[in-house]
Amino acid sequence: MHVPLLQGTEFKINLETDHIELHGSTDESAGVLLRGSVVLDSHEAIKIRSIVLKFVGKVKVNWIEGFGRGPQQAMYKDEQTILEHEWSFLPHAKKLYHLTEKHYRWDFELPLPGDLPETVTHDLGQVYYRLKAVAERPTFSMNWSDKRTLTVSRLMLPTSLALLQQVEIVNTWSDKMSYEFSTPRKCFVPDSDIPITFKLMPIAPNLRFRAIHCSLKEYITLTADGHSKTFSQIIRQIKDEHLEGAACWTDHVFNKTETIHVPSTITDNKIALDTTNDLIKVRHKIKIEISLVNEDGHISELRAAIPVIISPVSSGDDDGNALPRYEDAWKSVPFDPDTFARMIAEGQYPASLVVATPNAAASLAPTSLDDNDASSHDHDGENDENDHEPAPLPWQGMDLSRVPSYTTAVRSNRLYSFSSTLPAYDSITIPGQARTAS
């Protein structure tokens, strides 16, 4: 946070956003660009020795094992720098910089890789990213500084298998019963419900179900100096003892769905999102316990666990990693539509390819595949000089030094929308050349 300085002078860091969102896994994400500026509003002439901005990302762990004091306890701690960068807007020099009354702004950019660890805030470990700007002033004058903290989160892509595939556990336990536990998917977003469906089929005679206990459990594994320790805590739990109703039974099969609510990470700091880095690993499981009353009256318990992922999900509306459908971009070159139209009109594309391209440019070309049309320039047996003038090359008039990014090309209106049918193989193998039989 920044504070107003003397004489109305203000020194602060401005950011486009302090919440960095990475779309997809560490292998899928293309990263993001951090943009901002350092601003100095001076209402009088001032002297500055230097102005620098530092970005640093770190991961820390610190925990104690054992009981009591002294040799019974062991302390483990480690710290690693994930990423750091420094900008020098006014480099340190022997002479002071004399700044007049003015509004000064220094813009900065920093590409952040897609494999950055997400922000973690935990009593035993942290992953954090910070910016600090310092304006060094002359001797005996107080330096000016400002700090900003960034939050890095990772959003799962809508096409991830964890969002599309059902998780199911099927087994038979000790000749007592057959059971099926399932969730509709593996990944759930914060502030949502996890439905757990139970399908229980008793095998032993006179077996009764006493209670179903479900809990959402968090596991955090810390690593320091080659030593790892896992801590766990229960985030949410439910217990259902109303299992005798006839509504739950169909053809001697017990069916019921229990629901556990995932708390919001914004309003409830008790839960952390799934993440993995060199020092901190966070995972979640649904722990299931079913109490059974046997024919002789003694109690048995069935225990199982379903792994789940707690992570926000990308909406897909602004996903730079998304690929276009093949039908929409199977033939996106040449990039310039005017060049493409001219090449079709001049016959530089074979007629078979033009017919497969039902757009405005294709309508400018003849659609006949007649051989006479293809050789009409030579009908009188004499060569016409105009007919043999070389046609302009496809790339003439285009700035080849500026290649659009994939995201820009996909989102621009220069991509053609073709028919929903895929092109014939013959039409795209070697454009402009006829196939010869061997």
Side-chain angles (χ1 to χ4, degrees):
M1 58 180 295
H2 71 277
V3 295
L5 307 175
L6 298 177
Q7 306 293 332
T9 302
E10 189 175 34
F11 182 69
K12 63 180 180 178
I13 303 173
N14 290 332
L15 295 173
E16 284 189 352
T17 177
D18 55 5
H19 187 185
I20 304 300
E21 294 183 343
L22 302 174
H23 295 257
S25 65
T26 55
D27 297 326
E28 297 169 328
S29 177
V32 295
L33 187 63
L34 174 66
R35 290 191 180 97
S37 59
V38 175
V39 174
L40 174 62
D41 280 322
S42 177
H43 300 285
E44 61 180 3
I46 57 175
K47 297 179 180 180
I48 296 292
R49 189 173 297 278
S50 67
I51 294 181
V52 297
L53 173 67
K54 293 182 179 180
F55 173 87
V56 62
K58 290 188 175 184
V59 52
K60 294 181 178 180
V61 292
N62 186 350
W63 78 94
I64 298 176
E65 294 184 22
F67 301 94
R69 297 181 179 179
Q72 289 79 20
Q73 279 191 341
M75 176 176 289
Y76 298 91
K77 61 186 303 182
D78 199 355
E79 177 179 326
Q80 292 182 2
T81 299
I82 302 170
L83 182 65
E84 59 182 351
H85 189 80
E86 180 174 325
W87 298 265
S88 182
F89 301 122
L90 294 180
H92 195 282
K94 293 183 179 180
K95 294 184 178 180
L96 298 175
Y97 295 93
H98 294 262
L99 304 183
T100 60
E101 179 181 348
K102 191 178 177 182
H103 173 83
Y104 298 90
R105 190 181 79 175
W106 296 272
D107 296 328
F108 63 88
E109 291 184 347
L110 179 63
L112 300 179
D115 60 352
L116 276 183
E118 304 92 295
T119 298
V120 176
T121 303
H122 195 277
D123 294 338
L124 305 177
Q126 302 85 36
V127 177
Y128 63 86
Y129 300 89
R130 292 172 185 166
L131 283 164
K132 182 178 181 180
V134 177
E136 184 182 0
R137 303 188 64 211
T139 308
F140 306 118
S141 297
M142 181 180 298
N143 293 338
W144 297 333
S145 66
D146 188 27
K147 297 179 180 179
R148 293 290 297 270
T149 299
L150 303 177
T151 300
V152 175
S153 61
R154 187 173 301 279
L155 281 66
M156 187 169 293
L157 297 179
T159 54
S160 173
L161 290 178
L163 290 167
L164 304 176
Q165 290 185 339
Q166 177 179 344
V167 180
E168 189 174 42
I169 297 178
V170 181
N171 207 344
T172 300
W173 175 47
S174 300
D175 295 329
K176 293 182 181 294
M177 70 173 182
S178 297
Y179 59 87
E180 296 180 12
F181 309 145
S182 64
T183 58
R185 56 189 178 276
K186 188 175 183 180
C187 178
F188 297 90
V189 301
D191 197 21
S192 68
D193 293 329
I194 302 178
I196 310 151
T197 301
F198 296 87
K199 185 177 181 180
L200 311 177
M201 294 156 282
I203 298 176
N206 299 320
L207 186 68
R208 293 186 294 111
F209 301 126
R210 182 183 182 188
I212 294 178
H213 181 260
C214 301
S215 60
L216 173 60
K217 204 167 185 179
E218 181 177 274
Y219 299 84
I220 178 168
T221 302
L222 309 176
T223 302
D225 301 327
H227 177 76
S228 297
K229 177 70 173 179
T230 299
F231 300 86
S232 63
Q233 64 170 341
I234 295 177
I235 305 299
R236 286 283 192 276
Q237 58 181 338
I238 60 170
K239 187 174 183 180
D240 188 356
E241 297 179 336
H242 305 284
L243 308 179
E244 298 296 334
C248 300
W249 291 88
T250 303
D251 296 331
H252 304 289
V253 177
F254 177 87
N255 294 278
K256 194 165 188 180
T257 300
E258 306 288 355
T259 301
I260 293 184
H261 184 74
V262 181
S264 171
T265 55
I266 299 176
T267 59
D268 192 343
N269 293 326
K270 188 176 181 180
I271 189 172
L273 300 175
D274 281 58
T275 184
T276 299
N277 58 67
D278 293 339
L279 304 185
I280 301 176
K281 179 179 180 180
V282 180
R283 290 292 180 265
H284 296 87
K285 291 182 180 180
I286 299 292
K287 304 289 285 186
I288 299 172
E289 296 180 6
I290 300 179
S291 298
L292 308 174
V293 181
N294 294 275
E295 186 177 15
D296 58 3
H298 78 270
I299 305 298
S300 300
E301 282 191 349
L302 169 66
R303 298 182 181 181
I306 301 177
V308 294
I309 298 174
I310 307 301
S311 171
V313 177
S314 173
S315 63
D317 296 336
D318 191 26
D319 180 16
N321 299 313
L323 296 177
R325 296 185 307 164
Y326 179 76
E327 291 83 355
D328 290 338
W330 64 271
K331 199 193 317 165
S332 60
V333 291
F335 183 72
D336 183 75
D338 296 331
T339 301
F340 187 44
R342 176 174 52 78
M343 292 172 67
I344 292 178
E346 294 175 354
Q348 296 186 39
Y349 275 166
S352 60
L353 183 60
V354 173
V355 171
T357 311
N359 58 12
S363 64
L364 301 177
T367 59
S368 173
L369 301 181
D370 188 85
D371 292 339
N372 294 329
D373 293 339
S375 58
S376 60
H377 67 279
D378 199 25
H379 60 87
D380 56 0
E382 299 181 1
N383 294 331
D384 189 343
E385 293 181 359
N386 294 330
D387 291 336
H388 291 277
E389 290 184 1
L393 297 175
W395 53 82
Q396 289 182 350
M398 300 175 64
D399 185 4
L400 299 181
S401 64
R402 296 180 60 83
V403 180
S405 67
Y406 181 78
T407 302
T408 302
V410 170
R411 294 180 179 175
S412 70
N413 57 6
R414 295 188 175 187
L415 277 179
Y416 299 97
S417 179
F418 299 100
S419 66
S420 59
T421 59
L422 301 181
Y425 178 79
D426 294 344
S427 68
I428 61 173
T429 50
I430 308 179
Q433 298 184 15
R435 300 181 61 196
T436 59
S438 55

